[in-house]
Amino acid sequence: MIELLVVIAIIGILAVLLLPTLSLAKSYARSVSCKNRLHQMGLALQMYVNDSRNQYPRYLGSAGPSGGDATGKGGRAFGLVYWSSKLFPYYPLNWTNSSFHCPGYSGKISGPHIPGAINRLGSYAYNGSGARVDDQTNENFGLGPVLYWKDSQGKFVPSVSESEVSVPSEMLAISDSAMIAGAVPDAGMGINSPDVGGDDFLHCDLNAWAWIYAARHGKEYNQLYCDGHASAMLPSILFDPAKSAALWNYDHQPHPEIWKR
């Protein structure tokens, strides 16, 4: 009996020692799988750019094939096609297919989830507007301006071309989407309730330091850059323009005028 108790105690000690290691290994495997999916999306994005006069897809662009996914609803957005649908011919997975998303993501996956808005929920997000933090700022330095956006002169914002990206290796294209854990106010970002899901429109936010981000695969979130490589960063750095704004903007400048208020 004593020998049996000793064996059980040893097994218990080994389990305590091994569980953190197993948890880290599981997180690492999820992160690797996530980066692989981002890499595939990066290949599709580059092929789209090559076939589209070297221009990046808009977050919400001209009507056309959507690959069976949801399109814009209501008003000016009606029938317009999302950025991920533009990649469908090169990476044929629908937005609502969980195989398309990060394996560490536990939120909802859906089309437009707020009446009258265009944002969707999912594990990945597209850098549509750069470091600007709200729709009151007309300047756009991201990759994918919405079709009907206008600049400060009232002119429609054109598509962004590959040649406009100053430092492709340091320009965010697609990232793990911001998903907030705990009770957080909407803050105008479309993330209007805790633990619902990630917004597929990539946003900087001045209050990032105060937010607690839902875990995906360890402490870091993964990002795809315009040159096709994927890396990881703490979300508290990624979503804080005071620390990462230059990575969001195609001219590689921080442009505090579009996020400081």
Side-chain angles (χ1 to χ4, degrees):
M1 180 65 69
I2 293 174
E3 291 177 349
L4 178 61
L5 291 174
V6 170
V7 170
I8 293 172
I10 292 172
I11 291 173
I13 293 171
L14 290 174
V16 170
L17 293 174
L18 289 174
L19 281 175
T21 302
L22 292 173
S23 178
L24 286 173
K26 188 175 182 180
S27 292
Y28 178 76
R30 285 178 172 174
S31 181
V32 169
S33 179
C34 174
K35 285 180 179 176
N36 286 338
R37 294 177 187 184
L38 282 171
H39 178 66
Q40 293 299 317
M41 294 170 69
L43 294 175
L45 181 63
Q46 187 58 54
M47 286 188 282
Y48 173 89
V49 170
N50 292 342
D51 289 344
S52 304
R53 297 177 296 175
N54 294 321
Q55 293 179 321
Y56 284 93
R58 295 176 179 274
Y59 170 79
L60 195 62
S62 55
S66 65
D69 277 340
T71 56
K73 293 182 178 179
R76 295 175 296 176
F78 182 78
L80 300 185
V81 175
Y82 286 94
W83 63 274
S84 59
S85 295
K86 296 295 185 181
L87 307 185
F88 186 84
Y90 313 100
Y91 186 38
L93 285 172
N94 290 327
W95 182 257
T96 51
N97 186 339
S98 60
S99 297
F100 177 84
H101 293 269
C102 171
Y105 177 74
S106 58
K108 291 183 179 180
I109 298 171
S110 71
H113 65 289
I114 300 175
I118 59 176
N119 309 57
R120 299 177 302 176
L121 294 177
S123 70
Y124 294 124
Y126 186 52
N127 184 8
S129 62
R132 82 177 193 177
V133 298
D134 58 47
D135 290 336
Q136 305 305 312
T137 307
N138 295 103
E139 291 81 0
N140 176 81
F141 294 98
L143 291 179
V146 174
L147 181 67
Y148 49 78
W149 278 358
K150 294 183 179 180
D151 60 21
S152 55
Q153 283 75 47
K155 298 179 180 179
F156 287 105
V157 179
S159 297
V160 176
S161 67
E162 192 173 26
S163 62
E164 290 180 277
V165 180
S166 296
V167 188
S169 62
E170 296 186 30
M171 172 66 182
L172 291 168
I174 302 170
S175 172
D176 277 327
S177 57
M179 184 173 172
I180 313 305
V184 178
D186 180 291
M189 290 297 175
I191 308 169
N192 60 347
S193 58
D195 301 317
V196 169
D199 189 338
D200 83 319
F201 193 105
L202 200 59
H203 284 288
C204 264
D205 190 78
L206 290 173
N207 298 315
W209 61 271
W211 287 2
I212 300 173
Y213 292 91
R216 294 284 181 87
H217 27 62
K219 296 180 179 180
E220 296 182 320
Y221 277 25
N222 291 328
Q223 303 87 46
L224 173 78
Y225 290 81
C226 289
D227 70 340
H229 88 275
S231 63
M233 187 184 303
L234 290 171
S236 57
I237 295 175
L238 173 66
F239 298 115
D240 185 346
K243 299 174 182 177
S244 64
L247 301 177
W248 293 70
N249 300 323
Y250 59 67
D251 62 358
H252 202 55
Q253 300 301 313
H255 287 288
E257 72 276 6
I258 67 173
W259 54 265
K260 278 190 174 180
R261 295 289 180 271

